[in-house]
Structure formats: structure tokens, C-alpha cells
Amino acid sequence: VQLQASGGGLVQAGGSLTLSCAASLGGYRMGWFRQAPGKEREFVAAISWSGATIAYTDSVKGRFTILRDNAKNMVYLRMNSLKPEDTAVYYCAAGATMTYWPMSGYDYWGQGTLVTVSS
């Protein structure tokens, strides 16, 4: 499975941005992760294949929304009320099973897209 993330950019604090991830195949649970400069990669959000099960890390709850369109093999991360601490390279990932849901068990990773939030 090939994953292509896009939609990153520069935004002011309080602003919004939507990231997109295009998958070459469907049938996978999907996740978004991010890595800030000098920090470890961290889990952001995940969505099951059906979309019925969703998880977020606490720091983005109420601000970020993960969505998917299975007809297009697309996953989105809608980010509102962005903060400078959301600045990071964001990665999408795909997992064939729900093992280690939601933070681990991903089999495929896309390249990152950079999100920069200015204060």
C-alpha cells in the first residue's frame, strides 16, 4: 500500500488546516502521527476501516477530526484551533488489522507533510 499525505502548510495560531492521505488500496485502518523537531513521533488520531471506531490523543480532542472516504481511499485530518505546539511533520499510516489499536500495529507509512503554526 502506498500512502501520500498532503495539505500541510503555514497557518496562524487559532487557524485551521485539513490534511489528506491518499491510499493506493482500501481495506485498512488508518492513523495520523506527528513528529515535532527534536521529539519522538507521537500518535494523533486513528480510524477503523468502517469508520465506526475512532481514537484521538488527548491533546487534540475537540480540535481535530479524522474522517475517511472509502470510495476514494482517502483519509483526512481536519485540524481546528491550531496551536504552535501542533507544529510537526504529520504522517499517515495504514494497518491491516486492529492489533495494538490505536497507537501501534501500522504496516505502511506515507511521507510526511509539514504543518507549521505561528504564534
Side-chain angles (χ1 to χ4, degrees):
V1 176
Q2 293 184 328
L3 304 173
Q4 181 77 36
S6 61
L10 175 63
V11 62
Q12 288 189 327
S16 299
L17 209 56
T18 297
L19 305 182
S20 300
C21 177
S24 59
L25 290 174
Y28 293 83
R29 59 137 153 160
M30 300 296 293
W32 284 98
F33 291 74
R34 66 187 180 187
Q35 187 166 19
K39 294 190 176 181
E40 302 262 325
R41 185 173 63 192
E42 66 171 349
F43 167 78
V44 177
I47 186 166
S48 63
W49 160 242
S50 69
T53 305
I54 290 174
Y56 298 98
T57 192
D58 286 346
S59 63
V60 308
K61 284 180 181 176
R63 300 189 299 122
F64 290 12
T65 303
I66 188 169
L67 308 162
R68 68 186 302 156
D69 183 341
N70 287 341
K72 298 179 180 178
N73 290 341
M74 295 289 295
V75 176
Y76 306 95
L77 186 67
R78 187 176 296 160
M79 306 185 293
N80 296 325
S81 302
L82 282 161
K83 304 175 182 180
E85 51 263 43
D86 294 317
T87 295
V89 177
Y90 284 71
Y91 300 88
C92 60
T97 72
M98 293 294 279
T99 305
Y100 306 121
W101 165 270
M103 299 199 299
S104 298
Y106 294 88
D107 305 294
Y108 305 97
W109 293 83
Q111 94 297 347
T113 185
L114 176 63
V115 173
T116 304
V117 184
S118 63
S119 57

